[in-house]
Amino acid sequence: MAERLSDAARLALFERMLRMRRFEEEIIHAAAVHKDIGRNHLYIGHEATGAAVLAALKQGDLVHTTHRNHGHVIGRGADPGRALAEIMGREGGLNRGRGGTWHLCDRAVGIQSTSAMVGGSIGLAIGGGWATRELGTDNVSVAFFGDGVLDEGISYEAMNFASRYELPVLFVCENNSKEGAHETSRLAAQQLGDVPRALGIPVVTIDGHDADGVYAATMEALKSVRKGEPVFLESRLERWPGSHQAKPDFVTGVTDIAMAWEPARITGTHADWIAKFDPVLAFARRLLADKAADSAALQAIDARVGAAMKAARAFADNSPYPKPETALSGVYA
Ligand SMILES: Cc1ncc(C[n+]2csc(CCOP(=O)(O)OP(=O)(O)O)c2C)c(N)n1
Ligand SMILES: [Mg+2]
């Protein structure tokens, strides 16, 4: 039996997705004013995957993520003001402005590591899985990573190790390349899943835009993972058109959640992506169709999230840059 969420839990999941989306939009707004905000790999388009996987986890589970990490960090409950301040290189940031977007980390909420190295998260998650097992807990270690990671030698070693030593590791591959084309990866295998399958790890391929489906698949996978049987979730995603560029930009516009019930509002160059693949709007439509909420309830959630992001931005804007004389603090060698 697939695990189903109550209406209240589905609304909480929607809010988690919306926080991820509005956080990224706040970065785009901030980048228009603060010219020192440079490259950022935004999480737009992946929200249903990240939010639903995170909603299925328990406190104490460890999360390891990548260059495209903001959604995971915010979705796991990090303070958005301190996260934004970190991305803006400010002293009030989660890592005192030293890490920036690529090393945004908050162990207080179980975000164990982020790594800008393609393949960094998958290796570190093996250590996390080993640690939770040695500690005798039933906590799991999650590796979020992109399809590009299957190019990297470390992924073979990591999956082999998890399988051979029965580690509680959940591999979550956010595959935003075209099926078979491997846009960002250069794989000889026909399917990404051929690789973990060859190493004895079961593969579950899911529609990464479907929050309910991702949640159910994750809950099912975690039953095995908590017993020391690793699982590979391949989340198929249609890449957000804005992910092709380095500087953040509103290529699909500021998200208007009313598009979920007024499709005539969807216009512009990327109308197709918005209508078919925007996971936030898709989930809003689903909630309305299932009568889990009405449009006023969704707008009230959006207003709450908007206010939280406005406060986050004010915090980050007002946080000073670190003093130059502290540049070497935290440097150990
Ligand atoms: C070891 C390493 N090689 C190359 C890069 C440069 N690089 C940054 S993102 C990226 C593509 C990653 O693709 P994927 O893992 O599929 O993530 P996506 O950006 O598509 O979400 C590359 C090659 C890097 N950061 N680390
Ligand atoms: Mg990719």
Side-chain angles (χ1 to χ4, degrees):
M1 254 303 274
E3 304 262 354
R4 280 198 62 95
L5 285 169
S6 66
D7 286 353
R10 288 174 89 205
L11 290 186
L13 179 53
F14 177 71
E15 182 159 352
R16 202 187 287 243
M17 290 172 65
L18 203 51
R19 282 172 73 83
M20 294 171 161
R21 173 66 55 89
R22 296 289 184 216
F23 181 82
E24 298 299 49
E25 291 182 348
E26 205 50 60
I27 291 177
I28 306 179
H29 287 303
V33 180
H34 299 289
K35 298 299 176 193
D36 56 336
I37 296 181
R39 186 160 196 158
N40 272 279
H41 297 87
L42 301 186
Y43 197 68
I44 297 176
H46 291 213
E47 293 92 345
T49 297
V53 168
L54 294 169
L57 297 181
K58 295 199 301 190
Q59 210 183 353
D61 292 338
L62 303 177
V63 174
H64 306 78
T65 168
T66 66
H67 60 291
R68 203 175 292 291
N69 60 51
H70 302 170
H72 303 137
V73 174
I74 294 304
R76 194 90 214 268
D79 178 76
R82 294 191 61 210
L84 192 56
E86 184 59 38
I87 291 163
M88 288 163 59
R90 307 301 177 96
E91 184 67 35
L94 286 169
N95 315 103
R96 298 186 58 203
R98 268 68 170 174
T101 172
W102 282 340
H103 304 283
L104 183 66
C105 191
D106 190 3
R107 289 193 174 163
V109 298
I111 298 286
Q112 202 62 10
S113 67
T114 57
S115 175
M117 272 185 291
V118 172
S121 67
I122 201 168
L124 291 166
I126 300 307
W130 187 274
T132 58
R133 197 186 61 182
E134 289 299 297
L135 290 168
T137 70
D138 76 339
N139 286 127
V140 301
S141 177
V142 180
F144 282 107
F145 53 95
D147 47 287
V149 166
L150 274 288
D151 285 6
E152 302 288 337
I154 191 171
S155 67
Y156 297 80
E157 198 175 336
M159 288 189 279
N160 182 59
F161 202 89
S163 180
R164 173 68 182 74
Y165 293 99
E166 301 176 347
L167 299 185
V169 179
L170 178 67
F171 296 97
V172 183
C173 179
E174 297 181 89
N175 182 1
N176 55 10
S177 285
K178 292 264 178 259
E179 193 177 347
H182 304 315
E183 240 176 309
T184 50
S185 55
R186 301 279 176 272
L187 262 198
Q190 284 287 313
Q191 300 284 331
L192 290 179
D194 292 345
V195 179
R197 265 191 294 268
L199 296 167
I201 298 177
V203 176
V204 183
T205 300
I206 48 180
D207 174 357
H209 312 95
D210 167 14
D212 289 311
V214 174
Y215 180 80
T218 307
M219 288 303 284
E220 197 55 37
L222 286 172
K223 288 182 193 161
S224 306
V225 176
R226 291 200 195 279
K227 290 188 288 184
E229 297 161 18
V231 174
F232 188 104
L233 287 184
E234 182 195 359
S235 165
R236 291 258 174 91
L237 290 160
E238 186 71 25
R239 201 174 175 84
W240 174 56
S243 289
H244 295 290
Q245 62 200 64
K247 279 285 273 184
D249 188 15
F250 283 115
V251 297
T252 48
V254 176
T255 307
D256 170 7
I257 63 161
M259 287 172 172
W261 55 90
E262 269 182 56
R265 288 174 179 249
I266 303 175
T267 55
T269 322
H270 301 295
D272 211 43
W273 185 89
I274 300 170
K276 284 197 204 141
F277 300 112
D278 184 322
V280 174
L281 294 178
F283 197 40
R285 276 194 298 271
R286 190 82 76 82
L287 293 169
L288 294 172
D290 293 347
K291 302 207 177 345
D294 57 16
S295 58
L298 299 185
Q299 269 168 329
I301 292 173
D302 194 23
R304 185 160 67 227
V305 170
M309 294 307 148
K310 204 165 163 234
R313 173 72 188 283
F315 173 83
D317 277 348
N318 289 319
S319 179
Y321 288 101
K323 290 200 167 63
E325 56 272 27
T326 66
L328 293 180
S329 72
V331 175
Y332 297 105

Short mmCIF file of all heavy atoms in Angstrom, two decimals, residues 217-261:
data_model
loop_
_atom_site.label_atom_id
_atom_site.label_comp_id
_atom_site.label_asym_id
_atom_site.label_seq_id
_atom_site.Cartn_x
_atom_site.Cartn_y
_atom_site.Cartn_z
N ALA A 217 6.84 7.00 -3.30
CA ALA A 217 8.01 6.19 -3.69
C ALA A 217 9.11 6.27 -2.64
O ALA A 217 9.79 5.28 -2.35
CB ALA A 217 8.53 6.66 -5.05
N THR A 218 9.27 7.46 -2.06
CA THR A 218 10.33 7.62 -1.05
C THR A 218 9.99 6.83 0.22
O THR A 218 10.85 6.13 0.78
CB THR A 218 10.54 9.11 -0.71
OG1 THR A 218 10.77 9.84 -1.91
CG2 THR A 218 11.73 9.31 0.22
N MET A 219 8.73 6.92 0.66
CA MET A 219 8.33 6.17 1.85
C MET A 219 8.55 4.67 1.65
O MET A 219 9.02 3.97 2.54
CB MET A 219 6.86 6.44 2.20
CG MET A 219 6.59 7.83 2.77
SD MET A 219 7.54 8.22 4.26
CE MET A 219 6.66 7.27 5.49
N GLU A 220 8.21 4.21 0.46
CA GLU A 220 8.39 2.78 0.14
C GLU A 220 9.88 2.43 0.15
O GLU A 220 10.29 1.43 0.75
CB GLU A 220 7.76 2.51 -1.24
CG GLU A 220 7.48 1.06 -1.56
CD GLU A 220 6.62 0.35 -0.53
OE1 GLU A 220 5.68 0.97 0.02
OE2 GLU A 220 6.89 -0.85 -0.27
N ALA A 221 10.69 3.26 -0.49
CA ALA A 221 12.13 3.00 -0.56
C ALA A 221 12.76 3.00 0.83
O ALA A 221 13.62 2.17 1.15
CB ALA A 221 12.81 4.06 -1.45
N LEU A 222 12.29 3.91 1.69
CA LEU A 222 12.90 4.04 3.02
C LEU A 222 12.69 2.79 3.88
O LEU A 222 13.50 2.50 4.76
CB LEU A 222 12.37 5.28 3.74
CG LEU A 222 12.92 6.62 3.21
CD1 LEU A 222 12.17 7.80 3.85
CD2 LEU A 222 14.42 6.75 3.47
N LYS A 223 11.62 2.03 3.58
CA LYS A 223 11.42 0.78 4.34
C LYS A 223 12.61 -0.14 4.13
O LYS A 223 13.08 -0.80 5.06
CB LYS A 223 10.14 0.08 3.86
CG LYS A 223 8.86 0.77 4.29
CD LYS A 223 7.65 -0.03 3.80
CE LYS A 223 6.38 0.79 3.91
NZ LYS A 223 5.30 0.26 3.08
N SER A 224 13.11 -0.21 2.91
CA SER A 224 14.29 -1.04 2.62
C SER A 224 15.56 -0.37 3.14
O SER A 224 16.39 -1.02 3.77
CB SER A 224 14.45 -1.25 1.11
OG SER A 224 13.27 -1.77 0.56
N VAL A 225 15.69 0.93 2.85
CA VAL A 225 16.94 1.61 3.19
C VAL A 225 17.20 1.54 4.70
O VAL A 225 18.33 1.29 5.12
CB VAL A 225 16.91 3.08 2.69
CG1 VAL A 225 18.16 3.83 3.13
CG2 VAL A 225 16.77 3.13 1.16
N ARG A 226 16.14 1.71 5.51
CA ARG A 226 16.36 1.68 6.97
C ARG A 226 16.83 0.31 7.44
O ARG A 226 17.39 0.17 8.52
CB ARG A 226 15.09 2.09 7.74
CG ARG A 226 14.75 3.57 7.56
CD ARG A 226 13.83 4.14 8.62
NE ARG A 226 13.29 5.43 8.15
CZ ARG A 226 13.95 6.59 8.21
NH1 ARG A 226 15.14 6.64 8.76
NH2 ARG A 226 13.41 7.70 7.72
N LYS A 227 16.61 -0.72 6.61
CA LYS A 227 17.10 -2.07 6.97
C LYS A 227 18.49 -2.35 6.38
O LYS A 227 18.98 -3.46 6.45
CB LYS A 227 16.12 -3.13 6.42
CG LYS A 227 14.79 -3.14 7.15
CD LYS A 227 13.93 -4.33 6.70
CE LYS A 227 13.41 -4.12 5.29
NZ LYS A 227 12.50 -5.17 4.82
N GLY A 228 19.08 -1.34 5.73
CA GLY A 228 20.41 -1.54 5.15
C GLY A 228 20.39 -2.02 3.71
O GLY A 228 21.35 -2.62 3.24
N GLU A 229 19.28 -1.78 3.04
CA GLU A 229 19.22 -2.13 1.60
C GLU A 229 19.10 -0.84 0.82
O GLU A 229 18.02 -0.25 0.73
CB GLU A 229 18.00 -3.03 1.33
CG GLU A 229 18.06 -4.35 2.07
CD GLU A 229 16.68 -5.03 2.18
OE1 GLU A 229 15.76 -4.67 1.42
OE2 GLU A 229 16.55 -5.90 3.06
N PRO A 230 20.21 -0.37 0.24
CA PRO A 230 20.17 0.91 -0.48
C PRO A 230 19.23 0.87 -1.68
O PRO A 230 19.01 -0.19 -2.26
CB PRO A 230 21.62 1.13 -0.92
CG PRO A 230 22.33 -0.15 -0.72
CD PRO A 230 21.56 -0.96 0.27
N VAL A 231 18.66 2.02 -1.99
CA VAL A 231 17.75 2.15 -3.14
C VAL A 231 18.18 3.37 -3.94
O VAL A 231 18.65 4.36 -3.37
CB VAL A 231 16.28 2.31 -2.67
CG1 VAL A 231 15.35 2.59 -3.86
CG2 VAL A 231 15.80 1.07 -1.91
N PHE A 232 18.02 3.28 -5.26
CA PHE A 232 18.33 4.39 -6.17
C PHE A 232 17.02 4.92 -6.74
O PHE A 232 16.33 4.21 -7.46
CB PHE A 232 19.23 3.85 -7.29
CG PHE A 232 19.81 4.90 -8.21
CD1 PHE A 232 21.15 5.28 -8.11
CD2 PHE A 232 19.05 5.45 -9.23
CE1 PHE A 232 21.71 6.21 -8.98
CE2 PHE A 232 19.60 6.38 -10.11
CZ PHE A 232 20.93 6.76 -9.99
N LEU A 233 16.66 6.15 -6.37
CA LEU A 233 15.47 6.79 -6.95
C LEU A 233 15.94 7.65 -8.12
O LEU A 233 16.78 8.53 -7.93
CB LEU A 233 14.79 7.71 -5.95
CG LEU A 233 13.99 7.13 -4.78
CD1 LEU A 233 13.34 8.28 -4.00
CD2 LEU A 233 12.92 6.16 -5.25
N GLU A 234 15.43 7.38 -9.29
CA GLU A 234 15.74 8.26 -10.43
C GLU A 234 14.52 9.14 -10.67
O GLU A 234 13.48 8.66 -11.13
CB GLU A 234 16.06 7.46 -11.69
CG GLU A 234 16.44 8.40 -12.84
CD GLU A 234 16.43 7.75 -14.22
OE1 GLU A 234 16.15 6.55 -14.33
OE2 GLU A 234 16.69 8.50 -15.18
N SER A 235 14.68 10.42 -10.37
CA SER A 235 13.58 11.37 -10.56
C SER A 235 13.76 12.03 -11.93
O SER A 235 14.73 12.74 -12.16
CB SER A 235 13.63 12.42 -9.44
OG SER A 235 12.83 13.51 -9.79
N ARG A 236 12.82 11.76 -12.81
CA ARG A 236 12.90 12.35 -14.16
C ARG A 236 12.29 13.75 -14.14
O ARG A 236 11.13 13.92 -13.77
CB ARG A 236 12.13 11.48 -15.16
CG ARG A 236 12.79 10.15 -15.40
CD ARG A 236 13.52 10.17 -16.74
NE ARG A 236 14.29 8.94 -16.90
CZ ARG A 236 13.81 7.85 -17.49
NH1 ARG A 236 12.58 7.83 -17.96
NH2 ARG A 236 14.58 6.79 -17.60
N LEU A 237 13.08 14.72 -14.56
CA LEU A 237 12.67 16.12 -14.51
C LEU A 237 12.86 16.80 -15.85
O LEU A 237 13.81 16.49 -16.58
CB LEU A 237 13.53 16.86 -13.47
CG LEU A 237 13.25 16.48 -12.02
CD1 LEU A 237 14.43 16.85 -11.13
CD2 LEU A 237 11.99 17.17 -11.53
N GLU A 238 11.99 17.73 -16.15
CA GLU A 238 12.15 18.55 -17.34
C GLU A 238 12.86 19.83 -16.90
O GLU A 238 12.32 20.62 -16.12
CB GLU A 238 10.77 18.86 -17.94
CG GLU A 238 10.81 19.58 -19.25
CD GLU A 238 11.30 18.72 -20.42
OE1 GLU A 238 11.16 17.47 -20.36
OE2 GLU A 238 11.80 19.32 -21.40
N ARG A 239 14.08 19.98 -17.34
CA ARG A 239 14.93 21.07 -16.89
C ARG A 239 14.24 22.43 -17.03
O ARG A 239 13.68 22.75 -18.08
CB ARG A 239 16.19 21.03 -17.76
CG ARG A 239 17.39 21.72 -17.20
CD ARG A 239 18.57 21.45 -18.14
NE ARG A 239 19.74 22.17 -17.73
CZ ARG A 239 20.59 21.73 -16.80
NH1 ARG A 239 20.42 20.57 -16.24
NH2 ARG A 239 21.63 22.47 -16.47
N TRP A 240 14.30 23.24 -15.98
CA TRP A 240 13.76 24.61 -16.04
C TRP A 240 14.59 25.39 -17.07
O TRP A 240 15.83 25.33 -17.03
CB TRP A 240 13.88 25.24 -14.65
CG TRP A 240 13.51 26.69 -14.59
CD1 TRP A 240 12.32 27.25 -14.97
CD2 TRP A 240 14.33 27.77 -14.12
NE1 TRP A 240 12.36 28.61 -14.77
CE2 TRP A 240 13.58 28.96 -14.25
CE3 TRP A 240 15.63 27.86 -13.60
CZ2 TRP A 240 14.07 30.21 -13.89
CZ3 TRP A 240 16.12 29.11 -13.23
CH2 TRP A 240 15.35 30.26 -13.38
N PRO A 241 13.95 26.11 -17.98
CA PRO A 241 14.71 26.80 -19.03
C PRO A 241 15.79 27.73 -18.48
O PRO A 241 16.82 27.94 -19.13
CB PRO A 241 13.64 27.58 -19.80
CG PRO A 241 12.36 26.88 -19.52
CD PRO A 241 12.49 26.27 -18.16
N GLY A 242 15.58 28.28 -17.28
CA GLY A 242 16.57 29.18 -16.68
C GLY A 242 17.84 28.49 -16.22
O GLY A 242 18.83 29.15 -15.91
N SER A 243 17.82 27.16 -16.13
CA SER A 243 19.00 26.43 -15.65
C SER A 243 20.12 26.40 -16.68
O SER A 243 21.21 25.93 -16.38
CB SER A 243 18.65 24.98 -15.31
OG SER A 243 17.87 24.94 -14.16
N HIS A 244 19.86 26.89 -17.87
CA HIS A 244 20.92 26.86 -18.89
C HIS A 244 21.88 28.03 -18.75
O HIS A 244 22.88 28.09 -19.42
CB HIS A 244 20.30 26.83 -20.30
CG HIS A 244 19.53 25.57 -20.57
ND1 HIS A 244 20.14 24.34 -20.71
CD2 HIS A 244 18.21 25.33 -20.67
CE1 HIS A 244 19.22 23.41 -20.90
NE2 HIS A 244 18.04 23.99 -20.87
N GLN A 245 21.52 28.99 -17.89
CA GLN A 245 22.39 30.16 -17.79
C GLN A 245 22.99 30.27 -16.40
O GLN A 245 22.48 29.69 -15.44
CB GLN A 245 21.62 31.42 -18.14
CG GLN A 245 20.46 31.69 -17.20
CD GLN A 245 19.44 32.64 -17.83
OE1 GLN A 245 18.82 32.33 -18.82
NE2 GLN A 245 19.32 33.79 -17.21
N ALA A 246 24.10 31.02 -16.31
CA ALA A 246 24.83 31.09 -15.06
C ALA A 246 24.20 32.09 -14.09
O ALA A 246 24.03 31.80 -12.91
CB ALA A 246 26.28 31.48 -15.34
N LYS A 247 23.86 33.29 -14.58
CA LYS A 247 23.29 34.32 -13.70
C LYS A 247 21.79 34.08 -13.56
O LYS A 247 21.10 33.84 -14.55
CB LYS A 247 23.51 35.71 -14.30
CG LYS A 247 24.89 36.27 -14.06
CD LYS A 247 25.10 36.76 -12.64
CE LYS A 247 24.65 38.19 -12.44
NZ LYS A 247 24.97 38.67 -11.07
N PRO A 248 21.26 34.18 -12.35
CA PRO A 248 19.82 33.94 -12.20
C PRO A 248 18.98 34.98 -12.93
O PRO A 248 19.34 36.16 -12.96
CB PRO A 248 19.60 34.02 -10.69
CG PRO A 248 20.78 34.71 -10.12
CD PRO A 248 21.91 34.51 -11.06
N ASP A 249 17.91 34.55 -13.53
CA ASP A 249 17.04 35.45 -14.29
C ASP A 249 15.62 34.87 -14.30
O ASP A 249 15.44 33.65 -14.25
CB ASP A 249 17.58 35.56 -15.72
CG ASP A 249 16.86 36.62 -16.53
OD1 ASP A 249 16.15 37.45 -15.92
OD2 ASP A 249 16.98 36.61 -17.76
N PHE A 250 14.63 35.74 -14.39
CA PHE A 250 13.23 35.30 -14.40
C PHE A 250 12.80 34.85 -15.79
O PHE A 250 11.89 35.42 -16.37
CB PHE A 250 12.32 36.45 -13.93
CG PHE A 250 12.33 36.69 -12.45
CD1 PHE A 250 12.82 37.87 -11.93
CD2 PHE A 250 11.83 35.73 -11.57
CE1 PHE A 250 12.82 38.10 -10.55
CE2 PHE A 250 11.82 35.95 -10.21
CZ PHE A 250 12.32 37.14 -9.69
N VAL A 251 13.40 33.80 -16.31
CA VAL A 251 13.04 33.41 -17.69
C VAL A 251 11.58 32.96 -17.80
O VAL A 251 10.98 33.09 -18.85
CB VAL A 251 13.97 32.32 -18.27
CG1 VAL A 251 15.40 32.82 -18.40
CG2 VAL A 251 13.90 31.05 -17.47
N THR A 252 11.03 32.39 -16.73
CA THR A 252 9.62 31.99 -16.78
C THR A 252 8.74 32.94 -15.95
O THR A 252 7.59 32.64 -15.69
CB THR A 252 9.44 30.54 -16.26
OG1 THR A 252 10.15 30.39 -15.03
CG2 THR A 252 9.96 29.53 -17.26
N GLY A 253 9.32 34.07 -15.55
CA GLY A 253 8.56 35.06 -14.79
C GLY A 253 8.47 34.72 -13.31
O GLY A 253 8.81 33.61 -12.89
N VAL A 254 8.02 35.68 -12.52
CA VAL A 254 7.74 35.43 -11.09
C VAL A 254 6.54 34.49 -11.05
O VAL A 254 5.55 34.71 -11.75
CB VAL A 254 7.41 36.75 -10.36
CG1 VAL A 254 7.05 36.47 -8.91
CG2 VAL A 254 8.59 37.72 -10.44
N THR A 255 6.64 33.44 -10.25
CA THR A 255 5.56 32.45 -10.22
C THR A 255 4.25 33.09 -9.74
O THR A 255 4.21 33.72 -8.68
CB THR A 255 5.93 31.29 -9.28
OG1 THR A 255 7.20 30.79 -9.69
CG2 THR A 255 4.89 30.18 -9.32
N ASP A 256 3.22 32.91 -10.55
CA ASP A 256 1.89 33.43 -10.21
C ASP A 256 1.04 32.19 -9.94
O ASP A 256 0.65 31.48 -10.87
CB ASP A 256 1.38 34.22 -11.41
CG ASP A 256 -0.10 34.60 -11.28
OD1 ASP A 256 -0.68 34.37 -10.20
OD2 ASP A 256 -0.64 35.13 -12.27
N ILE A 257 0.77 31.89 -8.66
CA ILE A 257 0.09 30.62 -8.38
C ILE A 257 -1.35 30.62 -8.92
O ILE A 257 -1.93 29.55 -9.08
CB ILE A 257 0.13 30.20 -6.89
CG1 ILE A 257 -0.60 31.18 -6.00
CG2 ILE A 257 1.54 29.94 -6.42
CD1 ILE A 257 -0.95 30.55 -4.65
N ALA A 258 -1.88 31.79 -9.23
CA ALA A 258 -3.24 31.84 -9.82
C ALA A 258 -3.26 31.17 -11.20
O ALA A 258 -4.33 30.83 -11.71
CB ALA A 258 -3.72 33.27 -9.90
N MET A 259 -2.08 31.00 -11.79
CA MET A 259 -2.02 30.27 -13.07
C MET A 259 -2.56 28.85 -12.93
O MET A 259 -2.97 28.22 -13.91
CB MET A 259 -0.57 30.17 -13.57
CG MET A 259 0.01 31.47 -14.09
SD MET A 259 1.77 31.22 -14.40
CE MET A 259 2.16 32.76 -15.23
N ALA A 260 -2.55 28.35 -11.67
CA ALA A 260 -3.04 26.99 -11.44
C ALA A 260 -4.54 26.89 -11.69
O ALA A 260 -5.03 25.84 -12.09
CB ALA A 260 -2.71 26.55 -10.01
N TRP A 261 -5.27 27.96 -11.43
CA TRP A 261 -6.72 27.91 -11.66
C TRP A 261 -7.17 28.83 -12.78
O TRP A 261 -8.32 28.84 -13.15
CB TRP A 261 -7.50 28.13 -10.37
CG TRP A 261 -7.19 29.39 -9.61
CD1 TRP A 261 -7.79 30.61 -9.75
CD2 TRP A 261 -6.21 29.56 -8.57
NE1 TRP A 261 -7.24 31.52 -8.89
CE2 TRP A 261 -6.27 30.90 -8.14
CE3 TRP A 261 -5.27 28.71 -7.96
CZ2 TRP A 261 -5.44 31.42 -7.13
CZ3 TRP A 261 -4.45 29.23 -6.97
CH2 TRP A 261 -4.54 30.54 -6.57
#
